[in-house]
């Protein structure tokens, strides 16, 4: 009898435990569901500029995420985390609850509290002027949000979600992606808020060289530098003071700045003797130095920085500001890239007319943007997309400012210091002297093949194809180039530079499946394999390679590719070990 009593008592305890556990799981699920709903309401309220609704939604988010964090931070959830089959999900739920609780208080609280002054219009010009004082005020709350989202991104990213059940696994990955994007956005916004007041002339006038890169003639950082414009900033007011034809700068007898032995071997002397070849190198800070020195030589003017934009990024901006009309041609977000990289050359065979058109387009789009046209949030999204795809690049000759830009995509640097994330680069330079890169399509993929001795093995592939139309010989020489026996009209010569990871190696290179004996060069301590491709119309090629990273580079690989003519991001990230 006594034994039966103990059994019944034990069973009752187990049932009570299971009931309590089930109730607790239900409560946590309910809390997190409501937290998600509150986060959605908060986003809508912030976009609408409704401060009262934003504060209510934030309070609800803090209450529900805090409740979920409290329920999952006790012995019951520790038991769940140790159970076979359930443990991964339980630990994941605890991480989600903790992250949401921290972000709602440390990250979102300062943003909502300052929402009256922190809106997307803070960063956009009105009548040609950005309010630098307003920008400076929002730097502190943005910095707090940046730190919070960075910590959350690290915590979520440190969890292996592959073992989660289907529904929860998808929800976890979705949240992780949103936090990662918020981390990048707040980091970029914080940098902008800290740097813009000075760069916009808040402490004295500034002069920047604004370069228009045309991807129809490939260069490592994007495309051939075309129109060049001086952009002045004074106390937030932006204006254009001088325009020049980049092709009008003659070839120099010697480089405008001394080139390194590495640069001479890989890019040859023209990197420094031709203004339009200064971006043969994939390192935009080096390009900026060469361009500024050349501008000084030609005009006597010192520069405070260099800004570069390409036609695809201009299309992103026009999507936000609305169309512009130049010389009877209406440019929109949909047609800007085609008009500027191809149709203008077909319509205007004289290079002088082409350059005048490109200068007029640059000036008109700039005036449209600086007038404050378009919804501020959409304008910022267009600029952010251009920067993310390395189509918008900025370099400051103020050392402190450049140190703050360092490491961001908008800086366009060639990494030379190893981190846990190996970096692989594929950079394209046209050798035809034409606008045939408009018809060149290329895709790059890099995958991890595992780790050995704390180093990662990588395999990469680049497929290239010439989408040249059949009637290309009927097109003007402005597009095809004059042609010769080596590269007849309608054909292309393209040089691809493949950069191995810092402190790593390029082990093998193949072209169309056949192993090549490639002479590797070094640039900033990195292996470089340079390949020359000849393309007939319609021809396709495939280049593959294997690499070994430096020690400790076991995280996902950053893959950077010269931005092409297609309105998409040519960069990708490969998974790590």
């Amino acid at each position: 009898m006594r034994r039966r009593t103990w059994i019944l008592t034990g069973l009752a305890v187990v049932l009570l435990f299971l009931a309590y556990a089930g109730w607790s799981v239900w409560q946590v699920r309910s809390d997190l569901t409501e937290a998600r709903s509150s986060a959605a309401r908060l986003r809508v309220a912030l976009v609408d500029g409704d401060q009262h609704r934003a504060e209510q939604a934030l309070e609800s988010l803090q209450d529900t995420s805090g409740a979920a964090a409290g329920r999952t931070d006790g012995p019951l959830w520790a038991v769940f985390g140790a159970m076979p089959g359930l443990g991964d999900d339980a630990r994941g739920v605890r991480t989600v609850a903790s992250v949401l609780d921290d972000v709602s208080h440390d990250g979102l609280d300062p943003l909502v509290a300052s929402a009256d002054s922190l809106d997307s219009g803070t960063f956009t010009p009105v009548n040609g002027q950005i309010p630098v004082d307003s920008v400076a005020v929002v730097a502190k709350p943005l910095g707090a949000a940046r730190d919070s989202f960075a910590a959350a991104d690290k915590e979520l990213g440190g969890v292996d979600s592959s073992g989660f059940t289907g529904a929860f696994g998808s929800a976890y990955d979705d949240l992780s992606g949103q936090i990662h994007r918020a981390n990048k956005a707040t980091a970029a916004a914080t940098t902008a808020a800290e740097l813009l007041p000075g760069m916009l002339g808040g402490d004295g006038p500034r002069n920047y060289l604004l370069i228009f890169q045309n991807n129809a003639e490939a260069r490592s950082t994007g495309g051939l530098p075309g129109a060049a414009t001086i952009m002045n900033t004074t106390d937030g007011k932006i204006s254009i003071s001088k325009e020049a034809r980049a092709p009008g700068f003659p070839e120099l007898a010697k480089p405008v700045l001394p080139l390194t032995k590495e640069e001479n071997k890989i890019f040859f002397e023209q990197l420094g003797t031709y203004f339009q070849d200064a971006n043969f190198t994939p390192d935009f800070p080096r390009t900026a130095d060469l361009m500024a020195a050349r501008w000084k030589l030609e005009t006597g003017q010192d520069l405070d920085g260099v800004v570069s934009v390409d036609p695809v990024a201009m299309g992103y901006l026009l999507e936000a500001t609305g169309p512009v009309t130049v010389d009877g041609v209406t440019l929109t977000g949909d047609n800007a890239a085609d008009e500027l990289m191809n149709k203008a050359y077909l319509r205007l065979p004289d290079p002088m007319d082409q350059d005048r058109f490109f200068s007029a387009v640059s000036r008109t789009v700039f005036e449209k943007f600086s007038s404050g046209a378009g919804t501020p949030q959409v304008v910022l999204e267009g600029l952010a997309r251009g920067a993310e795809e390395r189509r918008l690049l900025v370099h400051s000759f103020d050392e402190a400012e450049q140190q703050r830009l360092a490491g961001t995509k908008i800086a366009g640097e060639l990494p030379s210091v190893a981190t846990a994330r190996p970096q692989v680069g594929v950079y394209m330079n046209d050798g035809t002297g034409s606008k045939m890169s408009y018809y060149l399509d290329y895709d790059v993929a890099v995958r991890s093949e595992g780790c050995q001795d704390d180093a990662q093995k990588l395999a990469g592939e680049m497929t290239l194809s010439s989408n040249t139309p059949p009637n290309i010989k009927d097109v003007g020489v402005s597009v095809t180039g004059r042609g010769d026996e080596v590269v007849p009209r309608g054909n292309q010569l393209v040089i691809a530079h493949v950069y191995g990871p810092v402190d790593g190696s390029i082990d093998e290179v193949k072209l169309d499946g056949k192993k090549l004996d490639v002479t590797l060069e070094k640039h900033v301590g990195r292996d470089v394999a340079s390949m020359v491709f000849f393309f007939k119309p319609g021809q396709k090629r495939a280049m593959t390679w294997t690499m070994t990273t430096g020690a400790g580079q076991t995280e996902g690989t950053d893959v950077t590719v010269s931005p092409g003519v297609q309105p998409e991001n040519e960069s990708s990230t490969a998974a790590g070990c």
Side-chain angles (χ1 to χ4, degrees), residues 57 141 189 200 268 338 428:
L200 290 173
F268 309 110
D338 286 338
M428 314 296 289

Side-chain angles (χ1 to χ4, degrees), residues 54-244:
E55 291 173 353
Q56 286 183 323
L58 177 61
E59 183 178 358
S60 175
L61 175 59
Q62 290 173 337
D63 289 344
T64 51
S65 63
R71 297 183 203 279
T72 57
D73 190 30
L76 176 62
W77 222 261
V79 172
F80 288 163
M83 293 175 64
L86 181 63
D88 284 348
D89 284 18
R91 291 190 296 272
V93 169
R94 183 172 57 194
T95 299
V96 167
S98 174
V99 163
L100 287 178
D101 186 35
D102 289 342
V103 164
S104 67
H105 287 88
D106 301 331
L108 294 174
D109 205 359
L111 291 183
V112 173
S114 58
D116 285 338
S117 57
L118 176 60
D119 60 37
S120 52
T122 302
F123 294 94
T124 53
V126 177
N127 297 323
Q129 188 167 16
I130 294 177
V132 293
D133 292 339
S134 297
V135 172
V137 166
V138 302
K140 186 174 181 179
L142 279 171
R146 172 202 59 198
D147 295 343
S148 177
F149 279 109
D153 190 20
K154 183 177 181 180
E155 186 170 358
L156 289 172
V159 174
D160 182 5
S161 62
S162 60
F164 296 162
T165 56
F168 177 62
S170 298
Y172 187 95
D173 290 341
D174 180 61
L175 174 64
S176 182
Q178 291 186 46
I179 293 293
H180 181 66
R181 289 188 290 274
N183 177 25
K184 292 198 296 184
T186 53
T190 303
T191 300
E194 292 173 348
L195 293 182
L196 276 176
M199 296 185 74
L200 290 173
D203 53 5
R206 299 282 189 98
N207 296 310
Y208 298 93
L209 181 64
L210 178 61
I211 292 294
F212 177 85
Q213 289 197 60
N214 194 329
N215 315 74
E217 185 168 344
R219 291 291 187 272
S220 289
T221 61
L224 181 81
T229 300
I230 290 296
M231 180 174 65
N232 308 113
T233 62
T234 304
D235 196 26
K237 187 171 182 60
I238 311 170
S239 61
I240 296 294
S241 67
K242 186 184 297 184
E243 297 177 3

